[in-house]
Amino acid sequence: RKRARPSRDAETALEAATAPRPPPASATSIRNLDCDVEGLRRRFLGQIIPPLGGQVKRAVMEAASPGASPTFSRMSGIQEWKNAVMLFVNVYGEGYKNSFVAGGTEITWFAQPRQWEGTPVVQRLVNADGGDVAAVGGAEAAHFDETPVLLFCRDEGRGYVYCGELAYLAHDPDRIPIRFVFELTDYETIKDGAPFKSLVANCHNLLRSPVSRGP
């Protein structure tokens, strides 16, 4: 797994790490729960997670927390667990173009319009590999725990496909919303499966990677 690149502004990372975070609404909030990362991988990597009574995101959340009925923001495309972050992408419709790029080995993903580089979850994504950010000015050094970033994509009318874990490659803090580029670390495992091939085929923005790879 690739080492995450540090934020271009260490002071921003320190602000995010030390900023107060609102407490979860309840004990069943996903912010208070651990996502069953290994269980998801074992049962659903490269597969469609069957909807629960037509609820596609609820199906993912319950699959990630066996025996519980977790509470979460149903409309959000980013879901923070205690030990992981989930990103949800629809490969159809208009709006921000979350797209597979570089032949499907990478994906671009847009944060929410109200989020900026100092938003704690944005820094959690940037520093997903964990580690320490050195002190800047009068601020104290900050530590980030390693955070698995999990990708779920869906075609119109279908459940989410679990596309595995992501590795941070880059982000553009000057864009609103912020654009990220991630590598699909499980690409070789899922690339030949029908669910993933369908996602890539239905993504009409299969472009070159926006990340410079050098000469």
Side-chain angles (χ1 to χ4, degrees), residues 105-169:
T105 62
E106 300 172 11
I107 193 167
T108 60
W109 179 82
F110 289 88
Q112 297 172 350
R114 59 184 170 79
Q115 293 171 332
W116 64 291
E117 193 179 26
T119 303
V121 69
V122 170
Q123 281 300 311
R124 200 175 177 194
L125 293 174
V126 171
N127 297 284
D129 271 8
D132 297 312
V133 177
V136 176
E140 296 181 356
H143 175 78
F144 289 89
D145 292 331
E146 183 175 356
T147 300
V149 181
L150 316 180
L151 176 64
F152 299 85
C153 300
R154 67 183 289 253
D155 288 321
E156 189 170 12
R158 298 187 180 182
Y160 281 102
V161 178
Y162 177 39
C163 297
E165 294 193 36
L166 298 175
Y168 167 87
L169 293 178

Side-chain angles (χ1 to χ4, degrees), residues 14-215:
L14 290 167
E15 288 178 8
T18 57
R21 298 170 69 94
S26 69
T28 59
S29 167
I30 60 172
R31 284 188 165 217
N32 270 342
L33 300 175
D34 282 329
C35 170
D36 184 6
V37 176
E38 290 306 316
L40 282 173
R41 183 178 188 85
R42 185 174 60 253
R43 297 166 58 205
F44 294 113
L45 182 62
Q47 304 299 318
I48 296 174
I49 298 178
L52 291 174
Q55 298 185 70
V56 291
K57 193 171 291 182
R58 164 65 65 183
V60 173
M61 307 309 264
E62 295 206 5
S65 185
S69 183
T71 56
F72 60 98
S73 177
R74 190 168 57 89
M75 301 304 293
S76 178
I78 180 168
Q79 302 287 342
E80 282 193 86
W81 295 74
K82 186 177 178 181
N83 65 328
V85 175
M86 291 179 170
L87 303 183
F88 290 83
V89 173
N90 296 329
V91 297
Y92 61 89
E94 298 301 322
Y96 305 118
K97 299 299 183 182
N98 298 311
S99 306
F100 288 108
V101 296
T105 62
E106 300 172 11
I107 193 167
T108 60
W109 179 82
F110 289 88
Q112 297 172 350
R114 59 184 170 79
Q115 293 171 332
W116 64 291
E117 193 179 26
T119 303
V121 69
V122 170
Q123 281 300 311
R124 200 175 177 194
L125 293 174
V126 171
N127 297 284
D129 271 8
D132 297 312
V133 177
V136 176
E140 296 181 356
H143 175 78
F144 289 89
D145 292 331
E146 183 175 356
T147 300
V149 181
L150 316 180
L151 176 64
F152 299 85
C153 300
R154 67 183 289 253
D155 288 321
E156 189 170 12
R158 298 187 180 182
Y160 281 102
V161 178
Y162 177 39
C163 297
E165 294 193 36
L166 298 175
Y168 167 87
L169 293 178
H171 75 290
D172 184 353
D174 295 325
R175 295 184 61 147
I176 300 296
I178 297 173
R179 183 183 69 178
F180 282 83
V181 184
F182 295 101
E183 178 185 28
L184 279 72
T185 62
D186 292 297
Y187 174 78
E188 290 297 327
T189 301
I190 67 176
K191 66 177 182 178
D192 295 323
F196 183 72
K197 289 172 73 173
S198 176
L199 291 172
V200 173
N202 288 332
C203 181
H204 300 299
N205 298 291
L206 195 62
L207 310 173
R208 291 179 61 250
S209 172
V211 178
S212 174
R213 299 293 185 173

